Amino acid sequence: MCFLYIRARFPILILKKEDRVFDPKTALVLVKIGFPMGLQFSITAIGSMIMQAANNALGTVYVSAFSAASKIKQFAISPFDALATSVSTFASQNYGAHKFDRIKKGFAQGILAGLVLGGLLALVLVLFGRQLSMIFISSQNAHVLDASQKFLFISGFFYLVIPFLNVSRLTVQGLGYSNRAIFSGVIEMLARIVVSFALVPAMGWTAICFCDQAAWVSATFFIFFYCLHLIKRLQKEGESGQKSPA
């Protein structure tokens, strides 16, 4: 439906024969940007797998609770991914147009929109975590429901961190600095590994409930402040007519 709408309303986006030409230089640029992005998700997934392995050792109750709560958590995170992708596209377009003030403004508005969204989702997870868990867990499994509710309750308080992390990371990627974004993924992975190996044996399920949040906060401390620094630096270089290598 989107494709048909574009054909009807935006003919400038319809490819013509002369547009279908392979440009090795452009393709190489896309690979340099795209490959690190794919690698970043792989790195993040490694940390999540180690976290899940640590949780599996806690028993079937917590395995079931983790499975149900993770589905709800991932569903609630999806809007942040879409928002961050939009800000990233906006930033890259304005970077190409040398409109650096618009990059800064779009980044700030993206963070603000994410905070509003995060606040609403946090309320839902904190107040209705048990009811949401019952989509996947029978009401007869009280222990599993209690564990899932605890996971979502704790997660909810950290949903205001996600806009800073996702918007900053994808903005950095959109500006062509994918390696820095990868490093934030490495920080996430290391945080999950540390919690899984150091805290889960001592604190059990409570440590699992804080594992993702520890990763979010750790990565945000790096990527958010780096993104602010990058935007400020690009703006100064744009004003002076210089260009920073990606």
Side-chain angles (χ1 to χ4, degrees):
M1 290 176 63
C2 290
F3 178 74
L4 294 175
Y5 182 82
I6 288 172
R7 287 188 63 87
R9 299 295 298 273
F10 300 98
I12 193 174
L13 297 179
I14 301 174
L15 293 177
K16 299 179 176 61
K17 184 177 180 179
E18 56 269 25
D19 300 320
R20 302 188 182 98
V21 178
F22 181 76
D23 183 355
K25 185 177 180 180
T26 302
L28 182 62
V29 171
L30 292 175
V31 170
K32 286 182 178 179
I33 295 174
F35 182 76
M37 291 174 69
L39 183 61
Q40 172 200 308
F41 288 113
S42 299
I43 292 171
T44 305
I46 291 172
S48 298
M49 290 170 62
I50 293 173
M51 170 185 166
Q52 187 166 358
N55 180 71
N56 290 345
L58 299 178
T60 56
V61 169
Y62 298 111
V63 170
S64 299
F66 182 81
S67 176
S70 293
K71 291 183 177 70
I72 298 167
K73 182 199 71 175
Q74 291 298 331
F75 183 79
I77 286 177
S78 296
F80 295 106
D81 295 333
L83 174 65
T85 301
S86 300
V87 176
S88 173
T89 304
F90 183 82
S92 61
Q93 289 174 340
N94 283 283
Y95 178 60
H98 300 286
K99 296 181 179 180
F100 301 103
D101 287 337
R102 287 174 60 82
I103 296 176
K104 183 178 179 181
K105 183 178 180 181
F107 175 76
Q109 291 181 345
I111 294 290
L112 180 60
L115 289 174
V116 173
L117 177 63
L120 294 174
L121 289 170
L123 286 175
V124 172
L125 293 179
V126 169
L127 298 177
F128 304 104
R130 192 176 189 85
Q131 289 80 355
L132 290 171
S133 299
M134 291 176 68
I135 297 173
F136 305 102
I137 303 169
S138 169
S139 58
Q140 297 177 350
N141 297 322
H143 294 302
V144 180
L145 279 174
D146 290 342
S148 180
Q149 180 184 14
K150 181 178 180 179
F151 185 98
L152 295 175
F153 181 85
I154 293 173
S155 293
F157 285 101
F158 288 84
Y159 264 57
L160 294 179
V161 177
I162 302 177
F164 293 98
L165 174 60
N166 284 19
V167 172
S168 299
R169 180 151 57 197
L170 266 71
T171 298
V172 169
Q173 288 178 340
L175 294 174
Y177 292 75
S178 298
N179 291 337
R180 309 307 194 281
I182 285 182
F183 186 67
S184 72
V186 172
I187 294 174
E188 274 197 69
M189 180 187 70
L190 292 176
R192 288 189 174 95
I193 291 174
V194 169
V195 173
S196 297
F197 284 109
L199 299 182
V200 172
M203 300 174 61
W205 178 245
T206 300
I208 293 293
C209 292
F210 280 98
C211 197
D212 279 329
Q213 291 82 332
W216 297 343
V217 172
S218 300
T220 299
F221 268 111
F222 166 73
I223 198 65
F224 174 68
F225 292 106
Y226 177 78
C227 188
L228 292 179
H229 166 74
L230 177 60
I231 292 173
K232 184 177 180 180
R233 192 180 76 193
L234 291 176
Q235 189 171 7
K236 286 184 178 180
E237 291 171 355
E239 292 172 353
S240 63
Q242 299 176 350
K243 185 178 180 181
S244 175

